Amino acid sequence: MKFLQFTLLSFFFLMLCTHSLLAQIPQVPAQLEFADLTVKITPQAQREIQLDVDAQYRNPTYFKVKQDRINLYMPIVERELKSLGVPEDLKYLVIQESGLIPDAVSTSNAVGFWQFKQGTAEEVGLRVDAQVDDRKNIATSSRGAALYLRKHNSSLDNWMTALVSYQMGLGGAKAYFGNQYSGKKVIEVDRNTHWYFKKFLAHKIAFENQIGMFVSNRQLVEMKVQGPVTLATLSKRLGVSEEHLREYNKWAGNGKVPAGTFTVFYIKAGSLPMEPAISKSEDTPQKTPVYTAAEKNSPVYKQANSYPRISGNTTNANQPNQITVNELDGVLAAKSTSPDKFSEEIGLKEKKFLRLNDMNSDERIETGKYYYTEKKKTSAEVENHLVLPGETLWSISQKYGVRLASLKSKNRIRKDADLKAGMLLNLREPRKRGEAIPIIPIAQPAPQTRTVIATTAPGQMVPEPQPEKPSVNKPERITHTVAQGETLFAISRKYGVSVENLKSWNSIGSQNIISVGQKLVILKP
């Protein structure tokens, strides 16, 4: 009897949710605005488009899943379209193309968020090879789509025909539409209007009032990293699983970020089982303690730069069994190298060395840093550490000779994104559940006004490059001979030019065909 009651209640609840969703299905209006156009829709076309709108809402569960993806990715799509002067309304096209599934593949072998074929992807500067597939990267693929649409609109002079050209190509759109819509600002949609545009309008109407509505508290975070580095290594730094990073970085072939600077995506909050760095009591909210300027002269503030403590034969610190680091056997790195070479030099097995220092095999040994050859402790000699700008959980654990897992556990903090300058971390006693981490306001370093060349270790965050003033130098004319295995994309990257320019300079068609031994003209800026 109880089971029957539960089943009936579940059924009524499901019906109530379904009815609630169906009750809010938007209706197709007789007129709407799209990009810079006024779109008038005939009654027959309204009914036709309404069927597609209704289809989006037919399955409430699937609709919510899609809505969640839209709210996750759409801020990045909007940003990339805006940066290239493409109307924001075009963002609904990515929903139509892939449902925002990063590795979606069509029957014609179009791939990714914006469903690019390889040749078209390379035309707009996307990288497609065994290591990187930019079509599965929401930022780069959206930028490529914006370039593609902007180029077609400049030729067709109408955003409706430019949008349809996304499905049939520029040549196809010119043949289909001719010049009848060029420069027009009022469009009438009727039974004869191209199906692709009517399908787009259905997606715009279905989702334009849903974007930004609460579905979950997940937030997509972008972090620039310097490769080569594996997603397994990054997952450790970010406090998420490797599977999590693979899910949101399907552009990275084989779970590896290759050499160069790339953006990695991960979820900051929501479905991840994590606790905030600064917790609040469930009963009464706590204010984060703030220390005054006078307290900055306390020993805990001054000790930040007094570790690690080195003793022993410091003249031979780069040799094993010569020094101790925080009373643990250690060694100084005399040069930057890989962990396997360094561990061989100091007479340790690589796996043991990595385990002792909470490292992964693809991380670099840095010149002037101290590394442990003995197991680190679970607690430090001192009670607290004041977090300074630029520090990470790993660097703090190395500074005091404390295991990384112990440091995270004591402070209920799991990743560097939750670490803030001025935090007073516990190094001995675990922090109580709900206890706020105190923060001492400290001065941030003043920005440098001189130009410097910075090197970044693999896996570390990379600062945003500052825009340079445009050069007025005359382009240098270079002749490149195509070698075996080269592609237009590889050649464009080699000389720092776009695939589109490379094709234009050499009259290469849309199939991107080049042959071994072919001479290509390159105008290098």
Side-chain angles (χ1 to χ4, degrees):
M1 185 66 181
K2 288 183 178 180
F3 176 77
L4 179 60
Q5 288 177 335
F6 176 78
T7 304
L8 288 171
L9 285 171
S10 300
F11 174 76
F12 285 127
F13 178 75
L14 178 61
M15 291 299 293
L16 181 64
C17 292
T18 304
H19 180 269
S20 175
L21 187 61
L22 292 174
Q24 56 181 309
I25 296 178
Q27 300 300 298
V28 179
Q31 181 175 308
L32 55 77
E33 302 298 317
F34 160 66
D36 58 352
L37 307 177
T38 297
V39 180
K40 296 182 177 181
I41 309 173
T42 65
Q44 183 176 351
Q46 280 181 274
R47 291 191 293 271
E48 183 183 346
I49 296 169
Q50 188 66 53
L51 290 174
D52 281 333
V53 174
D54 294 346
Q56 296 296 323
Y57 284 77
R58 190 163 296 139
N59 186 324
T61 302
Y62 178 70
F63 182 87
K64 290 297 183 185
V65 170
K66 183 182 284 190
Q67 186 184 12
D68 195 20
R69 286 199 300 267
I70 290 169
N71 286 322
L72 190 66
Y73 289 115
M74 200 54 78
I76 297 175
V77 176
E78 292 171 347
R79 180 192 70 203
E80 297 301 331
L81 294 179
K82 182 179 179 181
S83 69
L84 290 167
V86 175
E88 188 177 305
D89 266 340
L90 274 296
K91 67 188 178 185
Y92 302 104
L93 185 58
V94 71
I95 308 174
Q96 177 178 343
E97 284 292 316
S98 69
L100 285 163
I101 297 172
D103 54 353
V105 181
S106 73
T107 54
S108 60
N109 206 32
V111 175
F113 288 102
W114 288 88
Q115 292 290 280
F116 280 111
K117 292 184 179 180
Q118 182 167 349
T120 309
E122 291 180 345
E123 282 183 35
V124 293
L126 301 187
R127 177 176 174 179
V128 181
D129 55 39
Q131 293 181 310
V132 173
D133 191 340
D134 277 334
R135 297 174 295 180
K136 301 175 185 178
N137 181 313
I138 186 61
T140 53
S141 64
S142 295
R143 197 174 310 130
L147 287 168
Y148 186 91
L149 290 164
R150 186 178 69 175
K151 176 185 175 183
H152 287 200
N153 183 66
S154 66
S155 178
L156 297 166
D157 194 21
N158 184 279
W159 281 111
M160 185 270 285
T161 55
L163 185 143
V164 175
S165 76
Y166 199 86
Q167 188 268 337
M168 60 171 56
L170 182 58
K174 285 182 175 179
Y176 185 86
F177 293 110
N179 295 321
Q180 62 175 315
Y181 291 106
S182 181
K184 288 189 69 174
K185 297 301 179 184
V186 179
I187 303 294
E188 183 175 279
V189 174
D190 57 25
R191 60 188 297 271
N192 296 316
T193 300
H194 197 278
W195 67 268
Y196 191 76
F197 185 60
K198 286 189 280 190
K199 181 77 72 174
F200 169 82
L201 290 178
H203 282 82
K204 170 179 162 62
I205 293 165
F207 292 102
E208 65 182 342
N209 292 323
Q210 299 296 326
I211 294 177
M213 289 186 65
F214 180 84
V215 178
S216 74
N217 62 338
R218 302 194 308 161
Q219 178 186 350
L220 194 65
V221 177
E222 302 170 79
M223 184 182 75
K224 286 195 174 181
V225 300
Q226 184 72 28
V229 63
T230 65
L231 295 181
T233 298
L234 292 174
S235 69
K236 182 179 178 181
R237 293 281 182 257
L238 297 173
V240 298
S241 67
E242 180 184 355
E243 290 73 22
H244 177 87
L245 287 185
R246 283 179 178 269
E247 175 66 24
Y248 294 99
N249 296 276
K250 293 187 176 180
W251 58 267
N254 301 317
K256 296 179 181 178
V257 177
T261 303
F262 294 88
T263 299
V264 169
F265 303 89
Y266 68 99
I267 299 296
K268 185 175 184 180
S271 58
L272 297 180
M274 66 181 185
E275 295 179 70
I278 302 178
S279 304
K280 290 187 177 181
S281 169
E282 295 181 0
D283 299 323
T284 55
Q286 285 183 295
K287 291 185 178 180
T288 301
V290 177
Y291 286 72
T292 63
E295 290 171 294
K296 295 181 183 180
N297 294 319
S298 65
V300 70
Y301 190 90
K302 293 180 178 179
Q303 83 179 12
N305 291 319
S306 66
Y307 280 82
R309 294 184 175 175
I310 313 300
S311 60
N313 184 10
T314 55
T315 56
N316 292 322
N318 60 337
Q319 300 296 321
N321 305 316
Q322 297 295 312
I323 63 169
T324 61
V325 183
N326 297 317
E327 298 184 353
L328 298 169
D329 291 339
V331 64
L332 175 69
K335 61 181 180 180
S336 293
T337 184
S338 60
D340 60 335
K341 292 181 180 178
F342 187 69
S343 57
E344 183 179 358
E345 290 172 1
I346 62 176
L348 277 181
K349 290 185 178 180
E350 182 186 3
K351 287 186 178 179
K352 181 178 181 180
F353 170 79
L354 294 172
R355 186 172 64 253
L356 294 176
N357 290 276
D358 297 306
M359 294 177 65
N360 286 293
S361 59
D362 55 356
E363 295 180 88
R364 296 284 293 176
I365 300 299
E366 296 180 36
T367 305
K369 293 288 182 69
Y370 290 96
Y371 295 87
Y372 296 94
T373 57
E374 181 183 352
K375 192 174 183 179
K376 291 192 287 184
K377 305 171 186 176
T378 57
S379 299
E381 295 178 350
V382 292
E383 291 288 339
N384 304 100
H385 170 75
L386 182 72
V387 179
L388 300 178
E391 287 188 316
T392 65
L393 290 166
W394 180 81
S395 68
I396 295 168
S397 73
Q398 290 290 98
K399 175 177 283 192
Y400 293 97
V402 176
R403 297 174 201 168
L404 181 59
S406 296
L407 180 66
K408 291 180 178 180
S409 176
K410 290 180 193 300
N411 294 278
R412 301 184 181 277
I413 186 168
R414 298 188 59 184
K415 59 185 189 302
D416 291 334
D418 293 329
L419 199 65
K420 296 179 176 63
M423 277 185 171
L424 197 63
L425 300 183
N426 283 1
L427 299 179
R428 294 184 63 83
E429 297 298 326
R431 194 170 299 282
K432 296 178 181 178
R433 183 177 295 276
E435 179 187 358
I437 298 179
I439 295 181
I440 299 176
I442 60 176
Q444 297 290 329
Q448 298 288 331
T449 55
R450 60 180 180 174
T451 302
V452 296
I453 299 175
T455 57
T456 309
Q460 289 186 333
M461 293 181 65
V462 179
E464 289 285 349
Q466 296 298 316
E468 298 180 357
K469 294 182 179 179
S471 173
V472 294
N473 294 334
K474 186 177 180 180
E476 177 186 0
R477 185 183 178 90
I478 299 172
T479 300
H480 174 84
T481 303
V482 178
Q484 182 72 37
E486 283 190 317
T487 64
L488 285 174
F489 178 78
I491 297 169
S492 70
R493 288 293 292 266
K494 180 177 181 179
Y495 293 101
V497 298
S498 69
V499 173
E500 187 175 357
N501 283 339
L502 197 57
K503 292 174 65 177
S504 174
W505 296 330
N506 296 277
S507 302
I508 298 172
S510 60
Q511 298 301 313
N512 297 343
I513 297 174
I514 54 176
S515 56
V516 176
Q518 182 178 349
K519 304 290 185 182
L520 298 180
V521 173
I522 296 164
L523 302 178
K524 188 172 174 59

